[in-house]
């Protein structure tokens, strides 16, 4: 339909830890799979979008720029964008949807390439960001106190949820247990070993209440989503999935000045420009860099009241593949790997097309929500099969 | 805690915050027009956009808004565990500081505990840490 934006292709490279393949090679692999999936050719691609763009000071986090990709693919683009000053990772897909709706492009490659595990092994080529001296910007307010990781920042919101609303570690564990169960059925997931409650509860603590299994793992991979204009679908051979709504927000850029995670304003906003409601959603793919974040998304999007997220996931049956709200069916970031947001758009399309194989949910799902972020910035996509 | 804390690059905006401890002062930017505070410090008031702002010594007392006990040694010389907390300051509405709660066992810290600032100096930077008060 003209004036709409659709996801028409998805692709992913090999997903692993300390891959020897180059970051640009992984990205090209994912692009090739996505354009083949869409039934397009490279000369039909006229847009490129990414988050956060190449970060020269932190190459392992984001080693590939839009111009790197345009160069190696020999693309003739009319529109491209890549910035960290966006509404979190999936904001790159929202931006592409806006571009195709405005007629600035017809088929946009949206990519997120992560190379954090490989970079750890090659510090000379990929210097770590954790510089100890001469710090400026936002990290000066947290790093001097040993809060080097987003784990330390997010954990404090989890602690408050526990004290204020009674969230328990057993409830939090359900995110990790569910992710591990689903990852076992996803041939691309890096985590293969099962997780039990006993194993979870006896794991070493990272920063309370987060143990090892509450934190995602550095991964090497590239994920690609192709966004196409509604009036260009006759060029596509796949089943298109409509981007029915999107939202994104920034509460305070400083993690420690925000009252709540941006999942709350983003979640409320998602429903303002669509006729769909939470009752229509068949599956959710919630950003889970840390196990607490899906709880904020459940509350922020209105699947339960604020404060009820822990009780919603208790026991794990409601969020299981055969539950009322199947969550992170591909394994999430705790099981699939730290694909940094793009895995959730990818998995939403897999499920809506019915291509999930052993992990496919039943009942012909028609509507999915994918999210990214959940600290001070966040983005959400509502995806629908027309 | 004995680790080498990350060293700040001092600039026009942040100097008063990171060096105020030399005079025992916790400095937060305040607007002389509307009386409200801006943190992290900026050259303009985030409430009324006035440029009539300056560092202001606040009481340095507050309460633990929330916290985490950190067990992971993110840097080689880091001694764990220790408490990372977000402290809300009594006389500075809407401003929180990420800090460490020091001079007590890690399991002695809880939300709403009363705290006051103590400074730790390393190489000319005065890091505001907090300890519990009865
Ligand atoms: Zn003012």
């Amino acid at each position: 339909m003209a004036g709409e934006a659709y996801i028409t292709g998805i692709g992913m490279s090999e997903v692993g830890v300390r891959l020897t393949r180059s970051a640009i090679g992984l990205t090209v692999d994912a692009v090739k799979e996505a354009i083949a999936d869409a039934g397009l050719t490279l000369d039909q691609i006229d847009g490129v979008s990414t988050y956060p763009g190449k970060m020269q000071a932190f190459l392992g986090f984001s080693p590939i720029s839009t111009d790197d990709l345009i160069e190696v693919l020999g693309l003739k683009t009319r529109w491209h964008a890549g910035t960290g000053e966006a509404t979190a990772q999936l904001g790159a897909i929202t931006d592409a949807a806006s571009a195709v709706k405005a007629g600035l492009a017809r088929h946009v490659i949206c990519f997120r390439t992560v190379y954090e595990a490989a970079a750890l092994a090659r510090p000379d080529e990929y210097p770590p960001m954790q510089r100890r001296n001469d710090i400026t910007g936002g990290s000066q307010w947290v790093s001097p106190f040993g809060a080097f990781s987003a784990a330390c920042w997010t954990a404090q919101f989890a602690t408050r949820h526990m004290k204020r609303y009674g969230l328990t570690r057993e409830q939090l564990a359900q995110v990790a247990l569910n992710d591990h169960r689903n990852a076992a059925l996803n041939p691309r997931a890096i985590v293969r070993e099962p997780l039990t409650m006993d194993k979870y509860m006896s794991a070493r603590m990272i920063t309370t209440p987060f143990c090892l299994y509450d934190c995602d793992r550095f991964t090497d991979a590239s994920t690609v989503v192709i966004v196409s204009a509604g009036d260009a679908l006759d060029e596509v051979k796949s089943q298109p999935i409509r981007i029915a709504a999107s939202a994104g927000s920034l509460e305070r850029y400083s993690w420690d000045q925000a009252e709540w995670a941006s999942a709350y304003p983003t979640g409320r906003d998602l429903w303002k420009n669509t006729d769909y409601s939470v009752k229509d959603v068949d599956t959710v793919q919630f950003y889970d860099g840390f196990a607490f974040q899906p709880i904020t998304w459940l509350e922020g999007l209105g699947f339960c009241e604020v404060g009820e997220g822990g009780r919603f996931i208790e026991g794990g049956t409601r969020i299981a593949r055969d539950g009322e709200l199947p969550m992170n069916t591909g394994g999430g970031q705790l099981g699939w790997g730290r694909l940094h947001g793009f895995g959730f758009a990818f998995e939403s399309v897999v499920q809506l097309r019915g291509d999930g194989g052993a992990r496919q949910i039943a009942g012909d799902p028609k509507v999915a929500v994918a999210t990214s972020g959940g600290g001070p910035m966040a983005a959400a996509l509502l995806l629908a099969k027309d | 805690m004995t680790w080498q804390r990350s060293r700040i690059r001092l600039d026009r905006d942040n100097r008063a915050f990171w060096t105020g401890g030399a005079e025992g002062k916790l400095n937060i930017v305040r607007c002389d027009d509307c009386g409200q505070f801006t943190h992290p410090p900026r050259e303009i008031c985030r409430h009324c956009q006035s440029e009539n702002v300056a560092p202001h010594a606040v009481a340095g007392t507050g309460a633990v808004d929330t916290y985490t006990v950190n067990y992971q040694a993110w840097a080689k010389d880091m001694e764990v565990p220790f408490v990372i907390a977000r402290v809300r300051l009594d006389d500075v509405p809407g401003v929180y500081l990420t800090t460490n709660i020091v001079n007590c066992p890690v399991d002695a810290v809880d939300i709403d505990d009363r705290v006051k600032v103590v400074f730790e100096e390393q190489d000319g930077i005065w890091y505001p840490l907090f300890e519990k008060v009865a």
Side-chain angles (χ1 to χ4, degrees):
Chain A
M1 195 189 310
E4 298 281 358
Y6 292 78
I7 295 178
T8 56
I10 55 172
M12 191 176 285
S13 69
E14 178 184 6
V15 179
V17 173
R18 301 194 174 185
L19 300 181
T20 53
R21 198 112 167 68
S22 71
I24 190 72
L26 293 173
T27 312
V28 170
D29 287 352
V31 168
K32 285 180 175 171
E33 185 174 290
I35 65 163
D37 177 58
L40 293 166
T41 57
L42 282 177
D43 58 13
Q44 291 172 287
I45 300 295
D46 57 0
V48 175
S49 180
T50 192
Y51 174 96
K54 192 172 196 164
M55 294 182 73
Q56 294 287 0
F58 192 22
L59 275 177
F61 182 70
S62 189
I64 307 298
S65 61
T66 54
D67 51 285
D68 287 335
L69 198 59
I70 289 166
E71 176 71 12
V72 301
L73 296 174
L75 298 175
K76 296 280 183 278
T77 55
R78 298 188 291 140
W79 177 84
H80 68 277
T83 175
E85 294 182 21
T87 53
Q89 300 90 333
L90 293 176
I93 295 174
T94 302
D95 292 349
S98 301
V100 300
K101 287 179 180 181
L104 302 178
R106 287 168 70 77
H107 302 290
V108 179
I109 289 172
C110 304
F111 74 96
R112 177 83 185 93
T113 301
V114 289
Y115 210 51
E116 292 178 283
L120 278 180
R122 292 148 68 183
D124 292 344
E125 287 172 81
Y126 298 93
M129 187 169 70
Q130 218 178 72
R131 286 175 307 173
R132 303 289 298 282
N133 292 307
D134 201 32
I135 60 169
T136 60
S139 62
Q140 70 179 295
W141 309 109
V142 289
S143 295
F145 307 100
F148 282 119
S149 167
C152 309
W153 316 334
T154 309
Q156 295 181 73
F157 289 100
T159 301
R160 190 168 64 175
H161 207 287
M162 289 178 145
K163 300 283 179 175
R164 189 180 285 179
Y165 301 118
L167 173 70
T168 65
R169 284 199 66 211
E170 286 79 4
Q171 291 167 347
L172 202 56
Q174 295 300 336
V175 176
L177 266 61
N178 183 65
D179 276 1
H180 279 246
R181 273 194 297 271
N182 292 338
L185 301 175
N186 179 357
R188 285 177 132 136
I190 62 170
V191 169
R192 311 309 314 175
E193 71 274 21
L195 182 62
T196 62
M197 184 64 86
D198 282 350
K199 198 171 165 186
Y200 175 92
M201 294 303 286
S202 59
R204 75 181 170 88
M205 202 48 84
I206 301 297
T207 188
T208 60
F210 295 158
C211 70
L212 185 66
Y213 294 108
D214 292 311
C215 305
D216 61 4
R217 308 179 188 195
F218 283 173
T219 304
D220 309 315
S222 181
T223 310
V224 166
V225 165
I226 295 176
V227 172
S228 299
D231 56 6
L233 295 184
D234 56 352
E235 300 165 27
V236 169
K237 294 179 184 64
S238 64
Q239 177 178 16
I241 301 297
R242 186 163 56 91
I243 300 174
S246 60
S249 66
L250 176 66
E251 193 183 358
R252 289 287 300 277
Y253 190 75
S254 300
W255 284 69
D256 60 354
Q257 300 304 314
E259 176 62 17
W260 276 112
S262 282
Y264 294 86
T266 302
R268 286 193 294 272
D269 209 38
L270 184 69
W271 304 112
K272 287 182 181 167
N273 63 344
T274 175
D275 293 331
Y276 289 111
S277 74
V278 288
K279 290 187 279 300
D280 300 309
V281 176
D282 297 303
T283 180
V284 292
Q285 310 297 330
F286 283 163
Y287 191 84
D288 58 351
F290 306 104
F292 177 63
Q293 287 160 325
I295 291 168
T296 65
W297 281 112
L298 283 166
E299 297 178 2
L301 284 156
F303 288 100
C304 61
E305 296 294 318
V306 173
E308 292 294 319
R311 283 177 281 279
F312 188 95
I313 66 170
E314 189 164 288
T317 52
R318 295 167 102 173
I319 59 171
R321 284 188 312 282
D322 59 354
E324 66 188 75
L325 190 66
M327 185 171 97
N328 294 1
T329 49
Q333 298 205 158
L334 304 179
W336 196 335
R338 182 178 153 82
L339 306 175
H340 209 231
F342 266 52
F344 301 109
F346 183 102
E347 177 66 10
S348 298
V349 173
V350 167
Q351 290 292 336
L352 293 178
R353 286 182 181 167
D355 289 343
R359 69 181 192 275
Q360 177 64 42
I361 62 172
D364 188 27
K366 292 187 170 59
V367 179
V369 174
T371 69
S372 67
M377 65 179 88
L381 299 174
L382 182 66
L383 302 174
K385 178 168 64 180
D386 287 332
Chain B
M1 269 163 291
T2 56
W3 84 76
Q4 176 68 50
R5 295 181 184 272
S6 304
R7 192 182 156 74
I8 316 298
R9 186 197 298 174
L10 295 178
D11 60 28
R12 183 187 172 114
D13 285 338
N14 70 12
R15 185 176 305 272
F17 182 87
W18 291 115
T19 63
E23 298 168 7
K25 290 180 176 172
L26 179 62
N27 291 318
I28 305 289
V29 166
R30 188 181 66 176
C31 174
D32 286 333
D33 286 335
C34 75
Q36 299 192 76
F37 291 87
T38 288
H39 186 80
R42 303 264 180 175
E43 290 180 86
I44 195 161
C45 171
R46 70 183 304 269
H47 304 281
C48 76
Q49 292 70 53
S50 165
E51 293 176 34
N52 192 14
V53 297
H56 171 83
V58 301
T61 60
V64 174
D65 187 66
T66 185
Y67 69 97
T68 180
V69 182
N70 179 78
Y71 285 86
Q72 175 77 25
W74 305 101
K76 283 196 178 68
D77 62 344
M78 189 180 270
E79 284 179 17
V80 293
F82 58 89
V83 175
I84 299 167
R86 160 169 137 144
V87 165
R88 57 174 186 271
L89 298 170
D90 286 337
D91 52 348
V92 197
V95 170
Y96 304 91
L97 298 182
T98 292
T99 184
N100 300 123
I101 308 298
V102 295
N103 304 329
C104 69
V106 294
D107 58 3
V109 175
D110 202 353
I111 286 177
D112 294 336
D113 280 355
R114 300 286 309 154
V115 292
K116 70 173 172 51
V117 71
V118 291
F119 291 98
E120 180 182 305
E121 190 262 342
Q122 285 186 11
D123 299 331
I125 306 288
W126 295 75
Y127 299 93
L129 312 179
F130 285 76
E131 61 182 16
K132 290 180 63 165
V133 292

